[in-house]
Amino acid sequence: MSDYASSCSTVNQEPGLCMPVKSCRNIYEIFQQTASTSGDLTDDHKNLITKSYCGTFRNVHHVCCLKSEIQLNSEGLEILTNTRCGINHASTVSRGLVAALFSFPWMALLKYNIGEPFKCGGSLITNLNEHMTYIEKGYVLTAAHCVYRQEDTIIGVRLGEYNISSSSDCTHSPIKSECAPPVEDVGIEEIIIPRDYRKHVFHDDIALIRLDRTVEFRRQLKPICLPITEELRSAHHSHYVISGWGRTENGNTSDVLMVALVRHIERQTCQKDFAVLPTLNEEHICAGGENLVDSCRGDSGGPLGFRDKHFGHLRFIQFGVVSFGINTCGQVNLPGVYTNVSHYMQWITDNIRK
């Protein structure tokens, strides 16, 4: 048997990849057409599916699929499409500003069992269906190096946080004062990382955390959008927004959520700055390094995003996951490197479920 997304030969002896049935257009359409007519599979279709079978992984049947027939997994895509996401009220940001309460409601903190409890960030990407037609457990997107650790173990996820040192987060203005509901500390049901992730090389530095229960939408707790359309996956932005509680430019961690605007850096330029590191490719996005603005170690796993059109509505889209940079974070003009979410949308939709 093959492994997920490994090379295989189709029934016609053409090169393909071993993919979930719902990610293989031509074979999935056979099941859809059969279901729509309430009929049975024809003998030819049964023969095609049987010979295409290449393994079962995470209880999902996989088939050898032509690369030209691979599509975003229909189940994962449906979950993301039906999630009301990316709604925030953040204004334009600049170097190292404190984020406004409620402005980045998808931010997550990963909790560990040793030392300081919060060492990495993440983003809530799915939750209750907007129309409440079904409920699925939420998923948090983060970096693989945040969950694949030898020195400690991740034991939970905190959602809806703003000021770590405060038990009650409030905002005050001449018009009104408002406080956020308590944070949500959620357990973990499953952690998923790419099969070929290699810790010290920082390729495939992406991970999904399936929470062990549902969490309700609140003003300070909502999911971020992902680039699920072709237009978003090919979008280019001159700047991005980063957010997190990691080290600020003075070398300290922040108890309050911080936000900054960072400039996109071309990979070729970025590679020169990181000449001693592995080759950067379409898996990576480079940004920052301008005016000493950069994401920092404590922000690992957090989102890099920007506003863009999401099915005709302006929403905040996550384009990157904080992956790696330099230990002198924010002290010299060098960019940070982010995992390119668009490059991993196939993997993401193949691994989330209701």
Side-chain angles (χ1 to χ4, degrees):
M1 294 293 177
S2 303
D3 292 320
Y4 166 76
S6 60
S7 298
C8 56
S9 295
T10 68
V11 173
N12 296 324
Q13 300 304 306
E14 296 176 283
L17 295 177
C18 187
M19 302 297 295
V21 169
K22 292 182 178 180
S23 297
C24 190
R25 184 181 296 106
N26 61 324
I27 292 182
Y28 183 51
E29 285 177 353
I30 292 173
F31 286 102
Q32 286 184 306
Q33 292 167 3
T34 303
S36 66
T37 59
S38 301
D40 296 323
L41 291 170
T42 66
D43 289 341
D44 287 344
H45 286 160
K46 289 179 182 178
N47 187 52
L48 171 63
I49 294 167
T50 300
K51 290 185 176 180
S52 298
Y53 176 76
C54 56
T56 298
F57 316 108
R58 300 180 66 241
N59 298 317
V60 175
H61 293 314
H62 285 52
V63 292
C64 190
C65 188
L66 277 174
K67 293 181 181 179
S68 60
E69 293 291 336
I70 294 175
Q71 62 180 7
L72 293 186
N73 189 295
S74 59
E75 180 178 353
L77 186 59
E78 180 188 23
I79 292 172
L80 295 176
T81 301
N82 289 331
T83 297
R84 191 165 183 256
C85 61
I87 299 174
N88 77 338
H89 306 284
S91 58
T92 302
V93 297
S94 58
R95 179 175 183 250
L97 293 180
V98 173
L101 185 64
F102 307 119
S103 60
F104 294 87
W106 40 79
M107 293 299 299
L109 283 165
L110 308 191
K111 191 172 184 178
Y112 298 84
N113 65 338
I114 298 175
E116 294 183 9
F118 305 115
K119 301 183 181 74
C120 275
S123 53
L124 183 67
I125 62 169
T126 182
N127 201 352
L128 294 181
N129 181 289
E130 178 183 3
H131 305 294
M132 306 296 284
T133 54
Y134 60 78
I135 299 176
E136 74 274 353
K137 296 176 181 177
Y139 282 87
V140 166
L141 185 65
T142 187
H145 78 267
C146 286
V147 298
Y148 188 80
R149 295 165 63 96
Q150 296 178 341
E151 60 271 28
D152 50 24
T153 302
I154 178 174
I155 57 174
V157 175
R158 173 166 291 185
L159 301 170
E161 183 61 280
Y162 176 70
N163 186 339
I164 297 173
S165 62
S166 173
S167 59
S168 179
D169 295 330
C170 301
T171 181
H172 303 283
S173 73
I175 301 175
K176 66 175 181 178
S177 296
E178 192 172 15
C179 293
V183 299
E184 292 264 8
D185 286 319
V186 189
I188 296 170
E189 180 178 294
E190 184 181 16
I191 294 174
I192 309 159
I193 63 174
R195 184 191 68 230
D196 293 332
Y197 169 69
R198 300 185 296 275
K199 182 177 181 181
H200 299 294
V201 183
F202 288 103
H203 284 284
D204 290 339
D205 192 17
I206 193 167
L208 285 166
I209 300 172
R210 179 175 167 89
L211 305 178
D212 66 359
R213 63 178 175 88
T214 59
V215 288
E216 296 183 8
F217 280 140
R218 299 176 184 174
R219 190 176 174 189
Q220 96 290 12
L221 204 165
K222 299 176 183 177
I224 196 170
C225 293
L226 298 186
I228 60 177
T229 65
E230 290 186 13
E231 291 79 11
L232 286 173
R233 290 195 296 279
S234 60
H236 297 280
H237 295 282
S238 61
H239 289 77
Y240 293 100
V241 174
I242 55 174
S243 50
W245 293 265
R247 283 180 299 187
T248 56
E249 56 268 24
N250 62 10
N252 299 320
T253 57
S254 171
D255 285 341
V256 180
L257 182 64
M258 304 290 287
V259 60
L261 191 69
V262 292
R263 182 170 62 92
H264 175 253
I265 307 295
E266 293 297 331
R267 274 198 300 268
Q268 295 87 339
T269 302
C270 190
Q271 184 71 71
K272 294 177 182 177
D273 291 330
F274 290 98
V276 297
L277 293 177
T279 301
L280 302 178
N281 54 33
E282 65 277 1
E283 297 177 22
H284 306 102
I285 295 175
C286 286
E290 186 177 45
N291 298 324
L292 302 183
V293 176
D294 192 7
S295 56
C296 296
R297 181 175 293 174
D299 288 314
S300 287
L304 172 91
F306 206 73
R307 285 185 175 181
D308 208 326
K309 285 292 183 71
H310 183 270
F311 296 114
H313 301 282
L314 197 60
R315 295 287 187 261
F316 196 88
I317 316 293
Q318 181 171 355
F319 292 101
V321 175
V322 179
S323 181
F324 64 94
I326 55 172
N327 290 333
T328 53
C329 177
Q331 297 300 309
V332 295
N333 285 326
L334 283 176
V337 180
Y338 303 78
T339 302
N340 183 0
V341 174
S342 294
H343 181 76
Y344 288 93
M345 283 308 302
Q346 184 68 56
W347 179 83
I348 291 171
T349 58
D350 280 336
N351 283 284
I352 61 175
R353 54 189 171 85
K354 297 177 183 178

